[in-house]
Structures are given as C-alpha cells and as structure tokens.
C-alpha cells in the first residue's frame, strides 16, 4: 500500500524555476551531497542561473541546514538522557 503525495499546483504567478531549484537541491542532498557541497553549488548557481532557480535552490539549502541542526539537537538531547552521568 502506498500513500499519495498531494502537491499543490503552481498557480498565482509562481515561477516554476523556483521549484525546479528546490527539487534539484533536494535530489542532490538525497544523493549524498554534503551541506558544504550544496553551498558551493548554490554559489555557482547564483552567478550562472535564473534568479528564481537560484532562490529555490538556496531556500531548500537553508531548510536542509535547519533540519540538520534540529536533528543534531534532538540526538544530543537523547544522548544526554541516556547517559546522565556524562551530562554533568
């Protein structure tokens, strides 16, 4: 059994290039690119591509950074709860 993913249609003047940039950043991160590699690519994309594409790529990069930071914080809290003598 699978779940259907609901994706809103691109309407109201939204630029498809923005979402293409987000998708590319997502795909590259999923394929194993590090945040540093994505940042380097974002810098090049900002200079060489459509501004909306670059904005989408960079927006997804910032989301990946926030997700990574939140995951690290959660794992740190879990580690301290499991090892209370090391937390002091």
């Amino acid at each position: 059994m699978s779940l259907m993913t609901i994706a809103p249609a691109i309407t109201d003047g939204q630029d498809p290039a923005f979402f293409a940039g987000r998708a590319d950043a997502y795909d590259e991160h999923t394929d194993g690119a590090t945040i540093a590699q994505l940042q380097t690519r974002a810098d090049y994309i900002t200079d060489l591509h459509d501004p909306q594409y670059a904005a989408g790529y960079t927006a997804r990069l910032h989301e990946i950074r926030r997700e990574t930071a939140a995951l690290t914080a959660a794992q740190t809290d879990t580690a301290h709860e499991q090892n209370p003598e090391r937390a002091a």
Side-chain angles (χ1 to χ4, degrees):
M1 183 175 171
S2 63
L3 297 174
M4 183 172 74
T5 302
I6 306 298
I10 298 174
T11 58
D12 298 328
Q14 294 172 328
D15 193 340
F18 178 83
F19 296 100
R22 289 179 57 82
D24 286 347
Y26 174 85
D27 290 342
E28 291 171 5
H29 183 257
T30 302
D31 290 341
T34 65
I35 292 176
Q37 291 169 327
L38 292 174
Q39 181 62 57
T40 300
R41 292 174 186 170
D43 293 341
Y44 285 117
I45 287 169
T46 300
D47 291 337
L48 303 174
H49 285 287
D50 172 31
Q52 286 296 318
Y53 180 88
Y57 194 98
T58 303
R60 182 62 190 134
L61 172 59
H62 291 309
E63 289 175 5
I64 292 168
R65 281 190 176 143
R66 289 191 299 270
E67 291 167 1
T68 303
L71 181 60
T72 301
Q75 290 173 340
T76 301
D77 287 345
T78 301
H80 285 291
E81 289 171 3
Q82 292 175 353
N83 298 310
E85 67 278 355
R86 293 183 137 185

